[in-house]
Amino acid sequence: TATYTTSPKSTVTTGANTTNFTNVVTYVVTAEDLTTKTYTVTVTSSPKTQSSACDVTSFSLGLTTGTIVNNVITLILPSGSSLTQVATFTLSTGATAKIGSITQQSGVTSSNYSADVAFEVTAEDGTKKTYTIKVTVAQAPVTVCKDLDNWKDGNNTTPNLSPIGSGGYITDGYLTGVNKYYFQGLYEKFSNIGDSKSRKLTSVKYWFGALKAGSPTNTMNFIVTTPNKTTKLPNGDTLYLVTKLVKDVEAALDKDGYYVLDLSSLNVKVNGDFYAGLNMKYKNAWAGVAGANPQDTIALVHNDYAAAGATINSAYFAQNTQTGFVYDTLVGKTDHLSLGIFANVCDLSTANDLLSFNFTNPVGAVSTSGNTITLTLPNGTNPSVLTSLIASFTSSPKSTVSIGQVLQVSGQTTNDFSASKIYTVTAEDGSTKNYTITVIIQQSQKSTEKDFLTYSINGVNGVISGTNITLTLPAGTDLSNLTATYTTSPKSTVTTGANTTNFTNVVTYVVTAEDLTTKTYTVTVTVSSTNQNTGADLLTFGFTNPNVTGVISGTNITVTVPYGTNIKSLVSTFTTSTGAVVKVSNIVQLSGGSVVDYSAPVSFVVTSQDGKTVKTYIVNVTITPLLSSAKDLLTLGFASPSTVGTISGNTVGLTVPFGTNVAALIANFTSSPNSIVRVGSTIQISGTTANNFTSSVLYTVVAQDGSTKDYTVVVTVSSQNGGTGTSAKEILSFGLLNPYINGAISGNTITITGQAGSDISKQQIYFSISPGATLTLNGVVLTTNVSIINFSNPVTVTVTATDGTKKDYIITVSIPKKNGKLITFFKFLEVPSATTTIDDVKKIITVHVPYGTSLNLTSVFGVSTGATVTIGGIIQASGASQISYATDVNYVVTAEDGTKTTYTIKVIVDPKTAGIEEVDNALVRIYPNPSNGAFTCESSIEAYDLLITDILGHTVYSSRVEPNGTGAHTFDVSDFGSGVYFATLQFEGTSKMFKLEVIK
């Protein structure tokens, strides 16, 4: 909403209610006599100041909040937590984060934190900071297990061997049934550790010694029971009963006669005394002896003592019709037969922690306070979602999670979170812990700003000091009929004083912020005395962005701004004689507030406070030419002795004859155009300036734009030849310098494997040779740490000893090929506004194009260095081929080393949006194309935005094109070199792209 004042008795007859300033707005002001004047208003927004903040302000995994100290984030997760977690975090406004090449999204991206992780944060302006995330999992409580061995310890309290049958316990015999089956019951009593704590029975081990299976259908029932509350015998509650075939038990006995029954999966819990034992259904174990009735044998306990040809390893019984029972002569009726039984019990886990909690759709921001968990869903989430949310969570191992009596299953159970929910985590030992889960929907934060930003009356700016505003108006001003113009903080309103016209007394304004808080301002307006100032001078003039100050000479003002400044929309700052008013094209100018086009000289008209003096200043703005940044040392050598140096990177190496005085050598050199060369603060003149080269000398090349590059000059004096020189001529070490890679020397052969991707034709070397010897290649002396050699083919170097004898070495360097195979960016030539998302994990590239887009498209893409792209085996060039994307298209990226990966390109056409019209290609033409960089865009569209980008998407030219009566607009991109460019015309919400070629 614009605020303005016009001439007395005039009205705004066109444009008065304009609120949309996307394009140029036209106002028509009609005077009382009905004559009119047309004004155009162009509104531009200053580019956002990009923040350099790149901090992690919070970081959590699951329900654990990390501790941030300097650039290290430390988390200790509860026992049982996974080290693969989805992190929730907050960053500085506008910042982004990556782990490796993977962009991190709070509450979404899962990463493995089993080792320290580098978490790189990038600010809006590109500033980076790396945090190290250190995650450990708390030690799990030690599970204490104990073997209970009452038999071995002499604590066997087993009652007499007692049969179990359909009639229960029989006190005076073993046989139940008629000549067919025998049931044998045997138990041992165990006492738990003694602290009345529940434990898990993990296994029971039975010692049978020797065991005969008998009939293949014979079975054993392995039983654990609690004692009978009255008799204390083993016929209380049955904790488990497992039935096994005797033949299977026999087969499973170990060499010592033990059988282990694993109960770990049955979750059998014991508390206090219990009995472990067995009973059997048994027949036909033994065929009997001559003259005796058939007998059944149950071999329970194997003892090593025997009598009269029999052992006590069997209890065998036969039916006798007269006496009823016949017992083994070695086992009396009242004997106790003891069976070896051993139990193992373990402590139950007490862990009852909720380790993580969130929703998969939508994902909430988690905050914890003790056992209270709050999830904040994104702003705009429909409240109805709260009634049917499915939580994904993890809890301590061996624990269960429930709400009330309802067991909760992660990722399955639906609950209504309109109100808080109590999640109960129950440990294996039955102990519980409650967590309160509260879900809220994030609300847009309302602005608290409520300030007057500008305030003026009749073109006179008010002085805002705190909540007081003061103005002094010219003498004779009627304070009872004035209109103020002002701006306040965004989203704020003036709720008191907005319509004030009478400023005879102090006026009160109340400014109300979006959050309904208020601030009260007082405005005091005074009228100056009759002795008004007659000065009409511009005292200072400049700009704040860029921050430059103009030079005032008489009524001419010159301002020089940096290269690249958009001089069509600059805001000036200035000071004037007291009370003077400044206008441009009859529009009052506010220092620091008025935007003016300075592409041509601008007249600033200054009127004195008394209105009697008028002075016109002409402001000329010029752009500083782009200064060269070239700062290379191109050549360096000596005329005496005649020596040419070898420049390798930032090092220059020269070798001079033995006996040369290097303390005062004069260098001949060349450097980049418009640059100068210094040693320290002394400017160097080629062929004139002498320097001491006893040690290395640092040469600094200064570019035209003031940037610098340093070169280290190393002069080596050759060893003396002849006389009694030595014949030593060995290469002691040889390798590549950047990076440092040592060669393998074998006889006269040196082999080196370089770094993948490096330029084999430009490898800087280091070496050591026999004292006094020299190393040459094709007669040129080589300098260690300086010389550069082309190793595209094997190279033969020569070592010359001080006695003149020589030895050749053959050096072979191989460079592994690169394995990079990523698509680094992707877009379509025809649809520059399309939104592209690259998923480098799933290798899927998704492109959203506007409704109505033809799916015959030309892709523009980038790949890893050295990689190539094929579709169906056909090599693709960026920006060259148009194909159909009506179905998914697979791009196969082949690395330099031959390894491959496949990206799937998915093109999604967005739904139709009402009111959008396409720019018809026939309405626009750009010519000549190709050109040397100067183009003309001719269009039947009178007003549009023109954007020129290079092949990498960098903007090289932009302009708002307004009607000029010809329909033609010229632009020049020749400064940016030869190549392919793209012109985009944007008009009423849609756009059209054209390919341009610059050939110079």
Side-chain angles (χ1 to χ4, degrees):
T1 301
T3 57
Y4 47 78
T5 59
T6 61
S7 303
K9 300 182 180 181
S10 66
T11 56
V12 177
T13 52
T14 299
N17 299 316
T18 299
T19 58
N20 185 347
F21 288 86
T22 305
N23 300 312
V24 173
V25 173
T26 299
Y27 287 83
V28 176
V29 182
T30 303
E32 186 180 24
D33 64 357
L34 301 184
T35 57
T36 62
K37 183 182 287 186
T38 301
Y39 289 84
T40 59
V41 176
T42 302
V43 180
T44 59
S45 58
S46 299
K48 177 184 176 183
T49 300
Q50 292 187 317
S51 171
S52 62
C54 48
D55 298 312
V56 179
T57 53
S58 70
F59 190 95
S60 299
L61 293 177
L63 304 178
T64 302
T65 300
T67 300
I68 304 175
V69 178
N70 296 325
N71 286 18
V72 178
I73 303 174
T74 306
L75 301 97
I76 301 177
L77 305 183
S79 171
S81 297
S82 169
L83 284 169
T84 298
Q85 294 265 10
V86 174
T88 55
F89 53 82
T90 54
L91 310 174
S92 302
T93 302
T96 59
K98 282 186 176 182
I99 294 178
S101 61
I102 307 300
T103 299
Q104 301 296 293
Q105 187 175 350
S106 178
V108 175
T109 313
S110 178
S111 298
N112 187 317
Y113 295 91
S114 56
D116 289 354
V117 171
F119 193 80
E120 184 185 70
V121 183
T122 303
E124 285 180 322
D125 68 352
T127 304
K128 297 180 184 292
K129 183 185 291 184
T130 299
Y131 288 79
T132 300
I133 302 175
K134 296 177 176 289
V135 181
T136 56
V137 177
Q139 186 72 32
V142 177
T143 300
V144 178
C145 296
K146 181 175 177 62
D147 287 322
L148 303 180
D149 188 359
N150 294 357
W151 183 71
K152 177 180 177 182
D153 296 339
N155 296 323
N156 183 7
T157 56
T158 308
N160 290 349
L161 191 62
S162 302
I164 297 178
S166 60
Y169 285 85
I170 301 174
T171 60
D172 59 352
Y174 295 87
L175 182 62
T176 61
V178 180
N179 201 29
K180 292 283 187 182
Y181 299 95
Y182 294 84
F183 291 83
Q184 177 65 48
L186 187 65
Y187 295 81
E188 282 211 24
K189 181 179 180 181
F190 293 91
S191 296
N192 210 339
I193 292 177
D195 54 10
S196 300
K197 184 167 70 172
S198 290
R199 290 176 170 82
K200 184 175 182 178
L201 181 60
T202 60
S203 66
V204 178
K205 181 167 69 174
Y206 293 81
W207 181 54
F208 288 102
L211 177 64
K212 294 186 181 297
S215 171
T217 61
N218 286 348
T219 57
M220 289 184 178
N221 289 329
F222 294 93
I223 309 172
V224 168
T225 70
T226 59
N228 182 287
K229 293 181 181 179
T230 302
T231 66
K232 307 302 182 184
L233 294 175
N235 61 344
D237 295 332
T238 298
L239 301 181
Y240 78 81
L241 185 148
V242 177
T243 301
K244 301 281 186 181
L245 289 172
V246 177
K247 68 184 183 69
D248 293 337
V249 176
E250 179 189 15
L253 294 181
D254 68 11
K255 64 183 180 63
D256 295 320
Y258 287 100
Y259 175 75
V260 178
L261 186 65
D262 185 359
L263 303 173
S264 58
S265 64
L266 297 182
N267 200 29
V268 179
K269 296 179 182 178
V270 293
N271 187 340
D273 295 345
F274 63 94
Y275 285 94
L278 59 85
N279 60 58
M280 306 180 189
K281 182 177 182 181
Y282 209 92
K283 69 177 182 178
N284 301 332
W286 190 40
V289 295
N293 291 327
Q295 300 174 0
D296 285 349
T297 297
I298 306 170
L300 293 177
V301 180
H302 179 80
N303 291 327
D304 293 330
Y305 64 90
T311 65
I312 201 167
N313 69 338
S314 62
Y316 50 93
F317 320 111
Q319 184 180 19
N320 186 297
T321 55
Q322 287 76 33
T323 61
F325 301 102
V326 174
Y327 302 99
D328 189 308
T329 56
L330 298 180
V331 181
K333 177 180 179 181
T334 60
D335 284 349
H336 291 219
L337 188 60
S338 180
L339 176 68
I341 304 177
F342 312 87
N344 180 268
V345 294
C346 294
D347 287 348
L348 298 174
S349 173
T350 62
N352 50 14
D353 295 310
L354 197 58
L355 305 180
S356 66
F357 192 97
N358 214 314
F359 305 114
T360 55
N361 187 20
V363 175
V366 180
S367 62
T368 61
S369 177
N371 287 14
T372 298
I373 302 170
T374 302
L375 285 97
T376 303
L377 302 186
N379 178 38
T381 301
N382 191 326
S384 64
V385 169
L386 299 179
T387 61
S388 57
L389 286 172
I390 298 175
S392 295
F393 57 83
T394 57
S395 61
S396 300
K398 302 180 182 180
S399 67
T400 59
V401 180
S402 59
I403 296 178
Q405 301 301 313
V406 180
L407 184 67
Q408 301 294 295
V409 180
S410 176
Q412 296 183 26
T413 312
T414 302
N415 288 294
D416 183 354
F417 285 90
S418 299
S420 297
K421 286 285 181 286
I422 304 297
Y423 274 66
T424 300
V425 183
T426 304
E428 188 183 31
D429 70 346
S431 61
T432 62
K433 185 182 290 184
N434 289 333
Y435 289 83
T436 301
I437 312 293
T438 302
V439 181
I440 61 176
I441 297 175
Q442 184 182 40
Q443 301 299 317
S444 297
Q445 187 174 2
K446 293 185 177 180
S447 172
T448 61
E449 296 182 357
K450 43 188 177 290
D451 298 313
F452 266 113
L453 304 179
T454 64
Y455 190 96
S456 65
I457 297 177
N458 289 356
V460 177
N461 294 329
V463 177
I464 304 174
S465 176
T467 56
N468 297 313
I469 303 174
T470 57
L471 300 92
T472 300
L473 300 182
T477 301
D478 181 4
L479 297 183
S480 65
N481 185 23
L482 296 173
T483 300
T485 58
Y486 48 76
T487 58
T488 61
S489 302
K491 300 182 180 180
S492 67
T493 55
V494 176
T495 50
T496 300
N499 300 316
T500 299
T501 58
N502 188 343
F503 290 86
T504 305
N505 300 311
V506 173
V507 173
T508 299
Y509 288 84
V510 175
V511 184
T512 302
E514 187 184 25
D515 69 350
L516 301 183
T517 57
T518 62
K519 183 184 286 188
T520 301
Y521 284 81
T522 59
V523 176
T524 304
V525 181
T526 58
V527 177
S528 65
S529 65
T530 56
N531 296 324
Q532 291 183 310
N533 196 297
T534 60
D537 297 314
L538 268 179
L539 305 177
T540 63
F541 188 93
F543 302 120
T544 55
N545 186 19
N547 187 11
V548 294
T549 301
V551 176
I552 302 175
S553 176
T555 56
N556 292 312
I557 302 175
T558 57
V559 189
T560 303
V561 296
Y563 179 83
T565 301
N566 180 11
I567 63 174
K568 290 188 176 183
S569 56
L570 291 175
V571 177
S572 63
T573 58
F574 52 82
T575 59
T576 66
S577 302
T578 303
V581 176
V582 178
K583 292 184 179 181
V584 172
S585 299
N586 209 33
I587 298 174
V588 173
Q589 301 297 292
L590 302 178
S591 177
S594 299
V595 179
V596 175
D597 182 353
Y598 290 91
S599 56
V602 178
S603 297
F604 274 66
V605 179
V606 184
T607 303
S608 64
Q609 187 179 36
D610 64 1
K612 295 179 181 180
T613 305
V614 177
K615 189 180 292 185
T616 299
Y617 288 80
I618 306 300
V619 179
N620 287 277
V621 176
T622 58
I623 300 176
T624 301
L626 181 62
L627 298 178
S628 172
S629 61
K631 45 187 173 292
D632 295 315
L633 190 60
L634 304 178
T635 63
L636 189 142
F638 302 127
S640 178
S642 179
T643 309
V644 177
T646 300
I647 301 176
S648 175
N650 288 47
T651 303
V652 183
L654 303 98
T655 301
V656 296
F658 178 80
T660 300
N661 178 11
V662 297
L665 289 176
I666 297 173
N668 294 323
F669 57 84
T670 59
S671 62
S672 299
N674 299 314
S675 66
I676 61 172
V677 179
R678 296 197 311 254
V679 171
S681 60
T682 303
I683 295 177
Q684 303 294 293
I685 299 174
S686 178
T688 300
T689 312
N691 286 291
N692 185 348
F693 290 92
T694 304
S695 57
S696 62
V697 177
L698 188 68
Y699 274 63
T700 300
V701 184
V702 183
Q704 188 181 32
D705 66 358
S707 58
T708 63
K709 183 186 291 186
D710 290 334
Y711 288 82
T712 300
V713 179
V714 179
V715 177
T716 303
V717 180
S718 297
S719 301
Q720 182 176 12
N721 291 324
T724 58
T726 176
S727 63
K729 46 186 175 293
E730 306 296 327
I731 293 181
L732 306 177
S733 66
F734 192 97
L736 306 182
L737 190 60
N738 292 310
Y740 181 91
I741 300 174
N742 197 24
I745 304 175
S746 176
N748 287 33
T749 302
I750 302 175
T751 56
I752 307 172
T753 300
Q755 183 183 48
S758 60
D759 186 355
I760 196 170
S761 68
K762 296 179 182 179
Q763 293 291 319
Q764 191 172 9
I765 63 169
Y766 72 90
F767 59 84
S768 62
I769 57 178
S770 300
T774 58
L775 184 67
T776 59
L777 172 63
N778 298 327
V780 178
V781 175
L782 300 178
T783 304
T784 186
N785 298 329
V786 174
S787 296
I788 294 176
I789 296 179
N790 182 347
F791 287 104
S792 298
N793 296 305
V795 170
T796 299
V797 297
T798 302
V799 184
T800 303
T802 57
D803 66 356
T805 58
K806 298 181 179 182
K807 182 177 182 180
D808 290 339
Y809 285 80
I810 299 174
I811 305 171
T812 302
V813 178
S814 59
I815 304 294
K817 294 184 177 179
K818 299 178 182 178
N819 63 359
K821 45 187 174 290
L822 294 177
I823 292 180
T824 56
F825 73 88
F826 190 96
K827 64 182 180 179
F828 288 124
L829 178 64
E830 295 84 355
V831 197
S833 60
T835 301
T836 300
T837 302
I838 300 179
D839 187 334
D840 280 322
V841 177
K842 297 180 180 179
K843 297 296 185 289
I844 295 174
I845 299 177
T846 306
V847 186
H848 285 265
V849 299
Y851 176 82
T853 299
S854 169
L855 294 183
N856 290 323
L857 299 166
T858 305
S859 64
V860 179
F861 55 83
V863 294
S864 302
T865 304
T868 59
V869 174
T870 58
I871 299 176
I874 300 174
I875 293 179
Q876 303 296 302
S878 176
S881 301
Q882 186 180 80
I883 64 173
S884 173
Y885 290 85
T887 59
D888 293 351
V889 178
N890 288 332
Y891 276 50
V892 178
V893 185
T894 303
E896 194 177 48
D897 66 357
T899 57
K900 299 181 178 183
T901 191
T902 300
Y903 283 80
T904 299
I905 314 298
K906 295 178 177 288
V907 178
I908 299 172
V909 180
D910 291 334
K912 182 176 182 180
T913 303
I916 302 272
E917 297 181 0
E918 294 188 359
V919 177
D920 187 341
N921 187 46
L923 297 176
V924 181
R925 71 187 187 103
I926 300 179
Y927 61 88
N929 191 12
S931 82
N932 63 0
F935 295 88
T936 298
C937 177
E938 196 171 88
S939 171
S940 59
I941 304 169
E942 293 188 344
Y944 54 89
D945 290 303
L946 178 63
L947 183 72
I948 312 297
T949 59
D950 62 18
I951 192 68
L952 298 178
H954 301 141
T955 299
V956 299
Y957 178 88
S958 64
S959 176
R960 173 66 185 174
V961 178
E962 299 296 345
N964 59 11
T966 67
H969 174 75
T970 59
F971 60 93
D972 191 340
V973 293
S974 58
D975 288 344
F976 296 94
S978 299
V980 175
Y981 296 84
F982 302 100
T984 302
L985 274 71
Q986 297 174 337
F987 169 71
E988 295 187 355
T990 188
S991 60
K992 194 68 177 178
M993 177 180 281
F994 299 85
K995 181 179 178 181
L996 309 177
E997 291 185 62
V998 175
I999 300 175
K1000 302 174 69 176

